[in-house]
Amino acid sequence: MRVAICEDSALFREGMTRLLAEAGYQVVTAVDDAEKLLASVAANPPDVAILDIRLPPTHTDEGLRAALTLRRRHPEVGVLVLSQYVRVSYAVELLEGGVEGIGYLLKDRVSDLAEFAAAIRRVGSGGSALDPVVVERLVSRHSQPDDPLSRLTGRERDVLRLMAEGRTNLAISERLAIAERTVEKHCTSIFGKLGLTAGPHDHRRVLAVLRYLNA
């Protein structure tokens, strides 16, 4: 899988480049600002573009804007945004255009190479990867006793969180050490209790769950 990196910290950029190369990824470019990334992707599209959400010159949301631009100009390229801090609004804005081939992770996840590599693979394969901390923030908004989320069992809430992260039924079953068929039953129950329509594709159900959590 071919990867492009955009990160203004030289130390972090070089470290991530080495880690991904060791994990078997081909890093086709590693640049320090959004304009260079956009130019590189236009000339030589990678499978996945990984970029910091805060980039020069203002270090506010240049990375987010570049990610949205990539989504418009190169929908075939997966986009994985890294952030130092949780900003739920950024994650929702990024995902509102569709969850196919998109990810939003905290930079801390890079240190867990197995998880980070799995997220890149999901994004590169047209799936999604949403940081567990962002999902927890969204879930915690629904704390009122009369909220439909309160009707979920503890196990159903576990499945909901993993579903919102972009994980498939198989991945959820492996994480929770339960049968895939059991995950399917939990998903059916979750969608019924929340009044959602479960689509046949993973990315559609992820979007449905995220829209519900962000309402």
Side-chain angles (χ1 to χ4, degrees):
M1 188 173 286
R2 302 170 71 253
V3 175
I5 296 172
C6 184
E7 164 63 53
D8 65 310
S9 166
L11 184 62
F12 193 83
R13 183 174 65 249
E14 293 302 320
M16 183 160 47
T17 298
R18 286 197 299 272
L19 282 174
L20 293 180
E22 290 172 3
Y25 291 93
Q26 180 185 356
V27 179
V28 295
T29 189
V31 296
D32 59 3
D33 68 51
E35 291 303 320
K36 292 176 183 175
L37 176 67
L38 294 174
S40 175
V41 171
N44 185 24
D47 297 304
V48 179
I50 304 172
L51 61 161
D52 191 349
I53 206 162
R54 295 184 176 184
L55 291 169
T58 68
H59 293 91
T60 53
D61 64 351
E62 282 86 353
L64 176 64
R65 299 301 144 205
L68 296 173
T69 298
L70 286 175
R71 297 281 283 166
R72 290 194 305 270
R73 295 180 183 174
H74 308 281
E76 75 284 0
V77 176
V79 177
L80 178 56
V81 175
L82 302 179
S83 178
Q84 190 73 39
Y85 309 102
V86 175
R87 284 291 297 269
V88 172
S89 60
Y90 283 173
V92 171
E93 184 176 358
L94 190 63
L95 294 164
E96 267 301 314
V99 296
E100 303 95 330
I102 198 74
Y104 180 99
L105 297 177
L106 291 178
K107 281 188 170 181
D108 291 347
R109 305 299 168 193
V110 176
S111 62
D112 186 337
L113 184 55
E115 275 292 311
F116 186 49
I120 296 173
R121 285 194 297 271
R122 288 209 305 274
V123 171
S125 300
S128 58
L130 188 59
D131 197 279
V133 176
V134 177
V135 173
E136 186 58 39
R137 291 282 182 90
L138 290 170
V139 171
S140 66
R141 292 180 175 183
H142 296 258
S143 58
Q144 298 302 317
D146 58 346
D147 191 287
L149 211 63
S150 66
R151 298 202 296 269
L152 300 185
T153 66
R155 179 61 84 189
E156 287 170 347
R157 291 173 76 93
D158 292 338
V159 171
L160 177 74
R161 290 183 176 92
L162 293 171
M163 194 191 314
E165 289 175 25
R167 299 179 188 274
T168 63
N169 284 352
L170 177 60
I172 293 172
S173 71
E174 292 173 347
R175 175 61 67 90
L176 299 179
I178 57 178
E180 188 174 358
R181 180 62 179 167
T182 302
V183 174
E184 292 173 1
K185 291 179 180 179
H186 283 315
C187 290
T188 299
S189 177
I190 290 167
F191 274 78
K193 290 179 180 179
L194 300 184
L196 300 174
T197 301
H201 303 294
D202 289 326
H203 67 266
R204 290 183 180 175
R205 74 176 190 174
V206 172
L207 186 57
V209 169
L210 291 176
R211 282 177 172 166
Y212 175 84
L213 292 176
N214 191 53

